[in-house]
Amino acid sequence: LTVDCVVFGINQRDSKPELQVLLVRRADDPFKGRWALPGGFVHVSDNGDQGESLEAAAQRELQEETAVEIEYLEQLYTFATPGRDPRGRVVSVAYYALVRTKDHTATAGSDAADVGWFNFIGSEGVRGRSSHEVFVHGDGNDPTLIGDPTGSWGTLAFDHADILRTALTRLQAKIRYTPIAFKLLPPKFTLVQLQRFYEAILMREIDRRNFYKRVKGFLVQCGVETNNSKPGPAAAIYRFDKRRYDAAIKRDFIFEPFEI
Amino acid sequence: LTVDCVVFGINQRDSKPELQVLLVRRADDPFKGRWALPGGFVHVSDNGDQGESLEAAAQRELQEETAVEIEYLEQLYTFATPGRDPRGRVVSVAYYALVRTKDHTATAGSDAADVGWFNFIGSEGVRGRSSHEVFVHGDGNDPTLIGDPTGSWGTLAFDHADILRTALTRLQAKIRYTPIAFKLLPPKFTLVQLQRFYEAILMREIDRRNFYKRVKGFLVQCGVETNNSKPGPAAAIYRFDKRRYDAAIKRDFIFEPFEI
DNA sequence: TCAAAAGTGTTTGAATTACACCCATGA
DNA sequence: TCATGGGTGTAATTCAAACACTTTTGA
């Protein structure tokens, strides 16, 4: 029994952030040298008790391999097709996680050969600014390919391409009716930042005016941007108003701050 | 590693069908004599190969315990909290299944002490016509109670109440954008039947006219009701037009045949 | 003074809801 | 003939989408 984690981050360094996923390079066989999702075996029985929870296992593995801090963790799906691991029957409970990617943070692991953030490349062929890239989208039969800076390409280890695709689909669906984007943003942010985050996750553009209208009901202004080295007026700074959001949800409100 | 199945059926005997769930009475400890979801251990290694898939295990267990025929099976969630099974660490991948309940069919199992279909009782306190009843809804902290004809009440075994609640929520959400209802219905049905099915699953009433308008785009009339022992004109009989449905889905159509 | 950025409102059209009537038939 | 069930259409409203202008400020 293993857990695997699809860790999503958004690199925030400049005005056009991009969705990224965290992969580790496998140090051992099988699939030695290939990129894979971080994860590993669940401690089933520590000392008489029944061991750790799956969430705890996911967190632990992430600490060991990538040293990132998790803001959000949710179970995705359980992958258990016989033959998915050549070593024997391995059932993997997949989770997806959201983290706040710090600028330029290249997280270094202790347990894995190499760690890297990968940009997504959609069917449109848009390339990101990461040193690594992941292909997803396309039709379901395409293997999810990854490319490293040297230009060599390979597929992900195990069935991790399937897991990754499932996770991306889920994230994009979940963001429609849940304010998980706020888990990725810093606690205080501008409207444009918020919009860019949504655009990064959905991988398309959103109408600014309609977007503002919908989210502003759940934001509280708490300041004004200061470091103005750009033209235009100072942007207002907001924080998420969970209280108002929860109240709205209770009235069957559906949070969908963008055009479908 | 186990699989547990939440099997939903709709008892179809008369004009007001009701959603039901299939439970088995445990023959052995732990929780001997208590009602539980059908399920059991996955065959991990049959003979050198890697054993059966989780879906196969689910089907097999259902055959052994309840002898029902599955129309639809989908993974629900993996329940793995340490301590959920007193015997040791047991991780359960839960599935939910849809079956066509034949009229009055009281399915008899070979592997379980007793099997029964249970009606749901919502917070409104509406009671069904089944000989058994299950409480769900209420707030999340209520244990899911079941009652048998003798009037004695007890909770479900293990964390099966959680699983059941999760499954019901998922089913009600899934029916919003997927035509799974057609898996439960006989291949040919009248509009009223279809509507009653939706009402049974959603546990509330739907406006007939609006409902008809939306579904009729994906139905083909293929006859007229014959056994008329009731007043009024003969009802038209329809079948589901999967071709047209798939085409619509491709154009980003969302199938939501009732008011939210 | 110009270009870039922040911010706001309105108009139009589509979709959804609510709602009431007619017809057929068996008792 | 009446009560029950099957079937349809329309008006009102709500919601979402598209779209353009004003203001501010740094260079």
Side-chain angles (χ1 to χ4, degrees):
Chain A
L1 182 71
T2 64
V3 290
D4 288 312
C5 284
V6 182
V7 181
F8 291 109
I10 295 195
N11 84 332
Q12 229 181 121
R13 81 185 119 186
D14 57 16
S15 60
K16 192 157 179 62
E18 283 168 324
L19 184 65
Q20 303 190 313
V21 63
L22 190 67
L23 300 177
V24 300
R25 198 194 280 276
R26 286 187 58 79
D28 305 299
D29 269 322
F31 298 104
K32 183 175 177 176
R34 296 271 274 281
W35 292 96
L37 298 172
F41 291 92
V42 178
H43 292 171
V44 162
S45 183
D46 249 341
N47 38 16
D49 66 38
Q50 290 197 2
E52 64 190 347
S53 73
L54 298 182
E55 289 77 12
Q59 302 252 14
R60 178 180 52 73
E61 295 285 352
L62 282 176
Q63 285 309 314
E64 288 174 12
E65 290 183 351
T66 68
V68 292
E69 189 143 346
I70 304 300
E71 297 295 332
Y72 181 79
L73 187 73
E74 183 183 307
Q75 195 187 108
L76 175 65
Y77 196 79
T78 297
F79 295 81
T81 313
R84 60 179 292 278
D85 190 319
R87 290 169 291 185
R89 186 70 188 269
V90 174
V91 170
S92 172
V93 184
Y95 279 76
Y96 73 101
L98 305 180
V99 307
R100 282 189 188 137
T101 317
K102 296 175 198 71
D103 317 77
H104 295 265
T105 304
T107 25
S110 64
D111 210 34
D114 197 1
V115 182
W117 286 101
F118 286 71
N119 276 13
F120 287 89
I121 311 186
S123 32
E124 326 85 31
V126 181
R127 292 184 159 251
R129 279 171 289 89
S130 164
S131 52
H132 302 302
E133 282 141 358
V134 192
F135 269 113
V136 276
H137 283 179
D139 27 27
N141 289 328
D142 285 348
T144 295
L145 294 166
I146 60 111
D148 66 18
T150 69
S152 68
W153 295 85
T155 52
L156 292 184
F158 305 105
D159 53 0
H160 287 188
D162 292 329
I163 301 181
L164 179 54
R165 260 191 296 264
T166 309
L168 180 62
T169 304
R170 176 87 138 256
L171 174 65
Q172 290 178 339
K174 187 100 186 181
I175 204 182
R176 289 177 169 280
Y177 53 91
T178 308
I180 41 178
F182 299 103
K183 306 274 182 183
L184 283 166
L185 279 164
K188 299 180 172 191
F189 47 83
T190 67
L191 287 175
V192 191
Q193 270 180 57
L194 182 62
Q195 185 190 349
R196 296 278 173 264
F197 267 58
Y198 273 92
E199 290 179 335
I201 294 173
L202 296 168
M203 295 173 183
R204 61 183 173 78
E205 291 186 353
I206 301 173
D207 184 279
R208 187 165 37 110
R209 295 158 289 206
N210 293 335
F211 181 79
Y212 288 9
K213 257 181 282 181
R214 296 179 210 189
V215 292
K216 283 184 81 170
F218 306 101
L219 301 181
V220 190
Q221 188 172 350
C222 60
V224 180
E225 210 175 31
T226 54
N227 62 338
N228 268 350
S229 67
K230 27 172 203 181
I237 294 184
Y238 295 89
R239 61 177 176 78
F240 178 56
D241 187 342
K242 184 159 167 48
R243 180 160 285 159
R244 260 197 277 175
Y245 176 80
D246 289 341
I249 286 294
K250 274 204 171 170
R251 317 187 279 276
D252 280 334
F253 170 80
I254 295 179
F255 181 68
E256 207 166 61
F258 48 85
E259 307 88 45
I260 305 175
Chain B
L1 181 71
T2 64
V3 290
D4 288 312
C5 282
V6 181
V7 181
F8 290 110
I10 296 197
N11 85 333
Q12 228 182 123
R13 83 185 118 187
D14 56 17
S15 61
K16 192 156 178 65
E18 283 168 325
L19 184 65
Q20 303 190 313
V21 63
L22 189 67
L23 299 178
V24 300
R25 197 193 282 275
R26 286 186 60 79
D28 305 300
D29 270 323
F31 298 104
K32 183 173 178 175
R34 296 271 276 279
W35 291 97
L37 298 172
F41 289 92
V42 178
H43 293 173
V44 162
S45 183
D46 250 341
N47 39 17
D49 66 38
Q50 290 197 3
E52 64 190 348
S53 74
L54 299 182
E55 288 78 13
Q59 303 251 16
R60 179 179 52 72
E61 296 285 352
L62 282 176
Q63 284 310 312
E64 289 174 12
E65 290 184 353
T66 68
V68 293
E69 189 143 345
I70 303 299
E71 297 295 332
Y72 181 78
L73 185 72
E74 183 183 307
Q75 194 187 109
L76 175 65
Y77 196 79
T78 298
F79 294 81
T81 313
R84 61 180 291 279
D85 190 317
R87 290 168 292 186
R89 185 71 188 269
V90 174
V91 171
S92 171
V93 184
Y95 280 76
Y96 73 101
L98 306 180
V99 307
R100 282 189 187 134
T101 317
K102 297 174 199 71
D103 317 77
H104 295 265
T105 305
T107 25
S110 64
D111 211 34
D114 196 1
V115 181
W117 286 102
F118 285 72
N119 274 14
F120 286 89
I121 311 186
S123 32
E124 327 84 32
V126 182
R127 292 184 158 249
R129 278 171 291 89
S130 165
S131 51
H132 302 303
E133 282 142 358
V134 191
F135 268 113
V136 278
H137 283 179
D139 27 27
N141 289 328
D142 285 347
T144 295
L145 294 167
I146 60 111
D148 65 20
T150 69
S152 68
W153 296 87
T155 51
L156 292 185
F158 306 105
D159 52 359
H160 288 187
D162 292 329
I163 302 181
L164 179 54
R165 259 191 297 263
T166 309
L168 180 62
T169 305
R170 176 86 139 256
L171 173 65
Q172 291 177 338
K174 187 100 186 181
I175 203 182
R176 290 177 168 280
Y177 53 91
T178 307
I180 41 178
F182 300 104
K183 306 275 182 182
L184 283 167
L185 279 163
K188 299 179 171 192
F189 46 84
T190 68
L191 286 175
V192 191
Q193 271 180 55
L194 183 62
Q195 186 189 349
R196 296 278 173 261
F197 267 59
Y198 273 90
E199 290 179 336
I201 294 173
L202 295 168
M203 297 175 183
R204 62 183 171 78
E205 291 186 351
I206 301 173
D207 184 279
R208 188 163 37 111
R209 296 159 290 208
N210 295 333
F211 181 79
Y212 288 9
K213 257 181 283 182
R214 296 180 209 190
V215 292
K216 283 186 81 169
F218 305 102
L219 301 181
V220 191
Q221 187 172 351
C222 59
V224 180
E225 210 174 31
T226 54
N227 62 336
N228 266 352
S229 67
K230 24 172 206 181
I237 294 184
Y238 294 89
R239 61 175 176 79
F240 178 56
D241 187 343
K242 184 160 165 48
R243 178 160 286 158
R244 261 197 276 176
Y245 177 80
D246 289 339
I249 285 294
K250 273 204 171 172
R251 316 187 279 277
D252 279 335
F253 169 80
I254 295 180
F255 182 68
E256 207 166 62
F258 47 85
E259 307 89 44
I260 304 175

